[in-house]
Amino acid sequence: MYIAHVRELDKEIQPINTHLLGVQRLAEQFGDKLGLKHVAGLAGLLHDLGKYSDEFQQYIDIVAFHPELPQPKRGDVDHSTAGGRLLFSLLHHKESTFCQKLLAEIVGNAIISHHSNLQDYLSPEIKSDYLRRVQDTKLPGYELAVERFFEDTMSKEELIHYIHVAIDELEQFTNRTPEQSFFVTKYIFSCLIDADRTDTRCFEEQVEVEESTEHLLLFDTYYRRLMDHLSALKEKSNASERINVLRAQMSEQCDVFAAERPSGIYTLSIPTGGGKTLASLRYALRHARKYKKQRIIYVVPYTTIIEQNADEVRKILKDNEHILEHHSNIIEEEQEGKEDSDEAEDGLITNKEKLKLARDNWDSPIIFTTLVQFLNVFYAKGNRNTRRIHNLSHSVIVFDEVQKVPIHCISLFNEALNFLKQDARCSILLCTATQPTLEGVKHSLLKDRDGEIVPNLSEVAKAFRRVELIDHTKVPMTNETLADWIHTEVHGWGSTLVILNTKSVVKDLYKRLKEGPLPVYHLSTSMCAAHRKQKLEDIRNMLGKQTPFICVTTQLIEAGVDVSFKCVIRSLAGLDSIAQAAGRCNRHGEDESQNVYIINHTEEAISRLKEIKVGKDMSSHVLARFKKKADQYEGNLLLPKAMSEYFRYYYNRMEANLNYYVKEINKEMTKLLMSLSLENDYVTHYQKKHGTRFPLILNGSYKTAAEYFKVIDQNTTSVLVPYGGGKELIAQLNSGAWLEDVSKFLKQAQQYTVNLYSQELEQLRRDNAIVMHLDGMIYELKENWYSDEYGVDLKGEGGMDELII
């Protein structure tokens, strides 16, 4: 018997052939969703072929069964290259066809990379990591491993036949574009990673591999419960009010559109406060039922929206079990100064391995996640991210507040959505009152014609007009003058929301306003999700009392948070942000009209925040034009005409940033991933250097791109904080009790983590405020560094004495 894994608990052995055939079956299931059953299955079948070598068998025997002997260095044996090398030797010759070579490159890269990140076909150093692995690397025991594979798992004749079926699938699937090749490679990689981890987890937990779950019956139940809820709303006394009638009409339009139109990329531009969450859910459930979609995924810009929307959906659908909130990765897979490969950990299933294997692959029927996590799935390093791609296929994906896609990720975002629409059979809904013109850029979004669900948007927006924008930017303001102005006017305004552009000025203003007579609330991304949820509950209670108070925050409150203040003050920013801030004022039309003041704050350090800076400039431009020719905008800056003009100006000014320029290597990310050979100067350099044609079909620098990709400009790390239930989770972590159900622990921990920038984390480390678990895979924040007022407190003066949950 040849060993693939050894369970640490009881030293039970999983044979290699059992593991390979198990991973093959799962990968086939995942790949079949795109008609690539055998392409994905081939990756599963060959991925651990190298474990058949004497070198690996001796290594795993000593590590697992002979702790008394000198232990070999972990990772000395390369077992992931052999399968990719076998495929290359069988398929990649001068006389090979295009699809034979393409299959070897796509599947081979997935195999050799399944313990790290996809390799570069050609790097900025004009080297091919892929070629080096499949051609040049010394691989002791390779021939014997191949021989044993053919004897123990599948004969050579059976493998050749299987490969021919895979080639036929790829021939039918591919239209031979570089964009598609990148996404197909990532998809096959995703199938392999999830299949490998799932099969290994099931062996470790001594359970059978679960069949893929059909969620259609659940969607039927959900749809009935949603319709019952909407029917109950029609029975309320305020149902005949104009806004509620319009909400009901737009919800009905979503239902009809979902049933009549096939899967595509559509827009839902309901004005702020128009019932977008329920309308989009109605579209998603109706469309999923009719077109047999596997899951519904909500993608939002901020974790704040996840908390609120997921809560609302759970209550309406009466289901707490099947609705997943995925805020961030609790586990840090890559650490500075360490290799990005986890191959050294494979074989003996330790506690650290259990974390890696935990069920974290987005297989729930309804998922709420962030824009950061969505983009990480396609572009970031770490195969925990990539593992989820195949579960995006055959889904309804709703992007809430889509205008918040970071400017440097626009092209990458568009290309990912185009793949999901054209190849992964998804239906995509872009929801926002402030639709960006994503179809007007170079890597354009392939929206469907006549794809807006709500007709006559201008008329609808006019009917929802509940505020007046007051341009108060002529007189620049500091926090001192702003605090004085608020204290003078707030009793006349009533409940007042102040939104500024940076956390530091928000915190300073909060301290100044606390000196006044009114209650003041502070919201920050330095607070964990559960903490912000409690703060928002307190704020809603104050709003219900209709007594004057002040809330100071950053833009985290702008998108999707259902609060309605009497007055809003917004520091000058992009017009979309101003419009979203206006949506927190008189949201439900409680009054005929209320004021939203736009101010020019002089103390915000935004020189490095290019998107905010350019957004301010473009908004100033539109405001100036509006003063001169308000009739051209129908007298309202919140209508689609002004918003469309703003985004055209904005994308034109930011054109050089749309393709994610990587300054360290002077290359755009889109070109690293999606260039034709004729367009890639790395290929030209290779041919000059070697005096021969570049031998591969694919030329992307996938590993290099992943190393540089960040949705947020600075790296962040998730830290578990001692707030409420987080204290209990920390106690479990320190006692080891969490190991009884790793997946449940990770799910609960989402609510009690804060993402810290590298400089914040470094400061806390210096102050001995961070505890690391499992070689730095999980970070814990000590209690004195978290406060009720500010969340993470870098000064270590946190106090939770007055906290009630």
Side-chain angles (χ1 to χ4, degrees):
M1 181 190 296
Y2 300 105
I3 303 170
H5 298 108
V6 178
R7 193 160 48 222
E8 190 176 46
L9 176 67
D10 56 7
K11 301 304 182 189
E12 181 70 23
I13 289 171
Q14 184 185 38
I16 297 177
N17 57 2
T18 301
H19 178 57
L20 291 181
L21 294 172
V23 175
Q24 176 200 6
R25 283 191 294 270
L26 280 170
E28 285 181 342
Q29 178 185 310
F30 301 154
D32 199 29
K33 294 183 284 188
L34 264 62
L36 297 171
K37 175 180 178 179
H38 294 80
V39 178
L42 188 59
L45 184 63
L46 297 177
H47 79 287
D48 271 356
L49 184 153
K51 288 186 176 181
Y52 275 114
S53 70
D54 282 344
E55 287 74 12
F56 182 84
Q57 292 302 304
Q58 291 164 6
Y59 158 79
I60 192 64
D61 181 65
I62 292 173
V63 169
F65 299 110
H66 298 287
E68 76 282 1
L69 295 178
Q71 293 295 294
K73 186 179 177 183
R74 299 299 290 267
D76 267 0
V77 180
D78 172 1
H79 71 263
S80 59
T81 297
R85 176 168 293 186
L86 175 62
L87 208 52
F88 190 83
S89 69
L90 292 172
L91 294 178
H92 218 290
H93 310 288
K94 286 183 179 179
E95 63 275 13
S96 298
T97 66
F98 176 89
C99 274
Q100 285 175 329
K101 292 180 179 179
L102 187 62
L103 182 71
E105 293 175 23
I106 287 174
V107 177
N109 202 347
I111 291 170
I112 68 175
S113 306
H114 76 272
H115 283 293
S116 56
N117 299 291
L118 284 170
Q119 300 298 298
D120 288 341
Y121 294 107
L122 194 54
S123 72
E125 293 76 33
I126 320 302
K127 296 177 182 177
S128 177
D129 292 335
Y130 167 80
L131 272 177
R132 175 180 58 81
R133 292 280 295 278
V134 299
Q135 275 193 152
D136 306 327
T137 300
K138 288 183 179 179
L139 215 53
Y142 166 72
E143 289 78 10
L144 181 59
V146 172
E147 183 181 320
R148 287 172 174 172
F149 170 82
F150 288 141
E151 290 172 353
D152 193 51
T153 299
M154 179 179 283
S155 71
K156 186 171 184 178
E157 292 74 20
E158 289 174 312
L159 178 64
I160 296 298
H161 174 72
Y162 195 92
I163 287 172
H164 282 310
V165 179
I167 291 168
D168 290 341
E169 287 177 351
L170 196 59
E171 180 74 50
Q172 292 178 36
F173 182 86
T174 184
N175 59 22
R176 306 185 181 186
T177 64
E179 296 92 345
Q180 191 191 43
S181 294
F182 166 70
F183 288 111
V184 171
T185 307
K186 291 288 276 192
Y187 188 89
I188 298 302
F189 192 40
S190 169
C191 295
L192 172 58
I193 296 300
D194 197 22
D196 184 24
R197 291 191 174 187
T198 299
D199 181 82
T200 306
R201 176 179 60 81
C202 290
F203 166 69
E204 159 61 26
E205 296 176 359
Q206 304 180 59
V207 297
E208 293 295 317
V209 175
E210 308 91 334
E211 290 296 315
S212 181
T213 307
E214 281 288 339
H215 296 134
L216 289 178
L217 289 177
L218 266 178
F219 291 153
D220 285 339
T221 303
Y222 290 163
Y223 182 77
R224 288 195 301 272
R225 289 173 181 170
L226 174 62
M227 296 309 292
D228 289 344
H229 176 80
L230 294 174
S231 296
L233 292 180
K234 290 181 180 179
E235 300 300 318
K236 289 191 171 183
S237 58
N238 62 352
S240 59
E241 292 177 4
R242 190 181 182 196
I243 282 181
N244 289 326
V245 170
L246 281 169
R247 285 173 177 156
Q249 287 175 355
M250 289 186 287
S251 174
E252 181 64 31
Q253 287 162 351
C254 284
D255 199 299
V256 173
F257 195 96
E260 290 182 350
R261 297 290 291 269
S263 297
I265 299 178
Y266 304 116
T267 55
L268 177 60
S269 307
I270 289 179
T272 305
K276 177 161 43 72
T277 301
L278 295 190
S280 61
L281 180 62
R282 187 168 177 180
Y283 168 88
L285 287 171
R286 182 71 188 274
H287 194 81
R289 290 169 69 232
K290 176 158 184 178
Y291 294 97
K292 295 181 171 52
K293 300 301 182 188
Q294 295 182 348
R295 56 188 47 80
I296 295 167
I297 302 170
Y298 275 84
V299 183
V300 302
Y302 306 127
T303 54
T304 323
I305 311 173
I306 292 182
E307 298 140 27
Q308 176 184 286
N309 289 7
D311 242 15
E312 185 179 5
V313 169
R314 281 195 193 96
K315 288 174 185 173
I316 293 167
L317 302 185
K318 301 175 182 176
D319 189 348
N320 287 321
E321 181 183 353
H322 296 106
I323 299 170
L324 171 70
E325 291 180 52
H326 188 264
H327 298 254
S328 59
N329 288 335
I330 306 302
I331 302 167
E332 294 300 314
E333 287 196 291
E334 287 83 25
Q335 301 129 48
E336 279 187 45
K338 291 196 177 184
E339 291 292 321
D340 60 6
S341 171
D342 62 7
E343 188 164 0
E345 309 298 330
D346 195 30
L348 184 65
I349 302 174
T350 61
N351 287 341
K352 188 173 178 180
E353 277 288 280
K354 288 179 188 178
L355 264 183
K356 184 187 77 177
L357 300 173
R359 194 169 186 161
D360 190 18
N361 59 352
W362 287 5
D363 59 356
S364 300
I366 296 183
I367 298 164
F368 286 83
T369 192
T370 63
L371 192 55
V372 169
Q373 293 302 320
F374 172 79
L375 287 166
N376 280 349
V377 161
F378 287 101
Y379 302 111
K381 67 179 182 178
N383 50 28
R384 178 174 293 278
N385 292 307
T386 308
R387 180 181 182 182
R388 302 168 181 136
I389 288 180
H390 75 88
N391 273 332
L392 291 173
S393 67
H394 293 265
S395 296
V396 181
I397 308 178
V398 179
F399 289 90
D400 198 0
E401 310 301 350
V402 68
Q403 78 282 354
K404 294 295 184 182
V405 177
I407 195 69
H408 65 293
C409 294
I410 290 289
S411 295
L412 297 176
F413 176 80
N414 287 351
E415 293 292 359
L417 264 60
N418 292 341
F419 165 75
L420 290 171
K421 170 193 170 180
Q422 295 178 303
D423 295 322
R425 303 167 196 178
C426 293
S427 196
I428 295 163
L429 195 60
L430 309 178
C431 294
T432 180
T434 54
Q435 285 288 348
T437 53
L438 297 174
E439 68 282 5
V441 298
K442 182 181 177 182
H443 287 263
S444 62
L445 185 65
L446 302 178
K447 288 184 183 177
D448 285 61
R449 291 183 61 188
D450 303 318
E452 171 56 52
I453 294 180
V454 178
N456 306 317
L457 277 176
S458 287
E459 286 76 7
V460 171
K462 288 174 186 174
F464 270 82
R465 184 169 183 173
R466 303 178 297 278
V467 300
E468 290 293 329
L469 290 183
I470 309 296
D471 184 355
H472 209 74
T473 58
K474 277 191 176 180
V475 181
M477 284 194 167
T478 63
N479 266 351
E480 183 179 358
T481 56
L482 178 57
D484 289 344
W485 181 45
I486 292 170
H487 280 143
T488 302
E489 302 289 345
V490 69
H491 287 283
W493 290 338
S495 58
T496 299
L497 174 65
V498 186
I499 305 174
L500 306 179
N501 287 320
T502 63
K503 284 198 291 187
S504 57
V505 290
V506 164
K507 192 172 182 179
D508 177 70
L509 181 64
Y510 168 73
K511 290 177 178 177
R512 292 173 184 273
L513 291 172
K514 276 174 60 181
E515 298 170 3
L518 293 181
V520 185
Y521 289 83
H522 170 245
L523 284 173
S524 171
T525 53
S526 295
M527 299 170 177
C528 68
H531 193 173
R532 288 197 302 270
K533 185 177 180 180
Q534 181 62 48
K535 289 284 186 184
L536 282 167
E537 193 60 38
D538 295 342
I539 287 166
R540 290 189 182 100
N541 288 337
M542 289 294 291
L543 290 169
K545 295 175 184 177
Q546 297 190 2
T547 54
F549 76 100
I550 305 163
C551 176
V552 189
T553 181
T554 61
Q555 59 265 36
L556 71 87
I557 203 171
E558 281 178 356
V561 180
D562 188 6
V563 288
S564 183
F565 285 80
K566 294 290 186 183
C567 175
V568 169
I569 298 169
R570 182 53 167 105
S571 181
L572 187 61
L575 190 61
D576 57 321
S577 290
I578 293 168
Q580 292 294 337
R584 311 313 119 192
C585 183
N586 197 27
R587 184 176 178 84
H588 305 294
E590 300 92 341
D591 302 301
E592 186 173 334
S593 183
Q594 292 287 2
N595 291 337
V596 174
Y597 296 95
I598 307 169
I599 64 166
N600 183 13
H601 199 295
T602 61
E603 293 178 325
E604 295 172 334
I606 62 168
S607 59
R608 297 175 64 185
L609 304 175
K610 188 171 183 179
E611 292 182 42
I612 293 176
K613 190 173 187 304
V614 173
K616 285 182 70 168
D617 292 343
M618 296 300 99
S619 292
S620 295
H621 183 65
V622 174
L623 284 169
R625 283 174 60 88
F626 181 79
K627 281 181 183 178
K628 294 177 181 177
K629 298 181 179 180
D631 56 315
Q632 288 188 4
Y633 302 92
E634 300 179 68
N636 188 352
L637 280 172
L638 301 180
L639 293 181
K641 181 176 174 57
M643 200 58 58
S644 180
E645 181 177 290
Y646 164 77
F647 275 114
R648 284 200 304 273
Y649 288 149
Y650 182 67
Y651 288 150
N652 185 58
R653 173 74 73 86
M654 298 289 280
E655 186 177 8
N657 300 84
L658 300 178
N659 297 334
Y660 200 127
Y661 175 70
V662 183
K663 65 181 179 181
E664 291 87 345
I665 55 174
N666 190 29
K667 196 87 161 180
E668 290 177 338
M669 191 77 74
T670 48
K671 290 185 177 177
L672 285 172
L673 298 173
M674 304 169 193
S675 283
L676 290 166
S677 292
L678 293 173
E679 301 170 336
N680 191 345
D681 58 359
Y682 294 170
V683 173
T684 306
H685 293 321
Y686 180 94
Q687 291 172 172
K688 287 180 180 177
K689 180 179 179 180
H690 295 277
T692 181
R693 288 186 61 194
F694 184 59
L696 301 178
I697 289 169
L698 302 178
N699 61 76
S701 306
Y702 297 171
K703 183 179 181 181
T704 299
E707 291 289 339
Y708 286 112
F709 179 79
K710 296 190 294 284
V711 180
I712 302 168
D713 286 341
Q714 299 183 58
N715 283 320
T716 60
T717 300
S718 294
V719 177
L720 188 60
V721 300
Y723 173 87
K727 293 182 180 180
E728 182 181 334
L729 291 174
I730 288 171
Q732 288 180 30
L733 187 63
N734 286 304
S735 69
W738 62 280
L739 285 167
E740 295 172 11
D741 190 340
V742 178
S743 298
K744 182 180 178 183
F745 174 87
L746 294 178
K747 185 176 179 180
Q748 291 175 337
Q750 298 279 342
Q751 292 288 320
Y752 302 101
T753 60
V754 174
N755 292 325
L756 298 179
Y757 290 116
S758 55
Q759 66 268 24
E760 295 173 317
L761 184 64
E762 203 48 51
Q763 181 179 332
L764 290 167
R765 276 174 165 164
R766 286 197 302 269
D767 293 339
N768 199 29
I770 295 290
V771 178
M772 293 192 293
H773 300 270
L774 292 170
D775 297 332
M777 291 181 75
I778 297 180
Y779 292 79
E780 168 203 333
L781 181 70
K782 290 184 179 178
E783 196 153 339
N784 282 351
W785 278 265
Y786 196 87
S787 82
D788 183 33
E789 280 191 298
Y790 306 117
V792 175
D793 187 337
L794 297 178
K795 293 182 179 179
E797 298 173 353
M800 304 293 290
D801 296 341
E802 301 175 6
L803 182 60
I804 299 172
I805 297 182

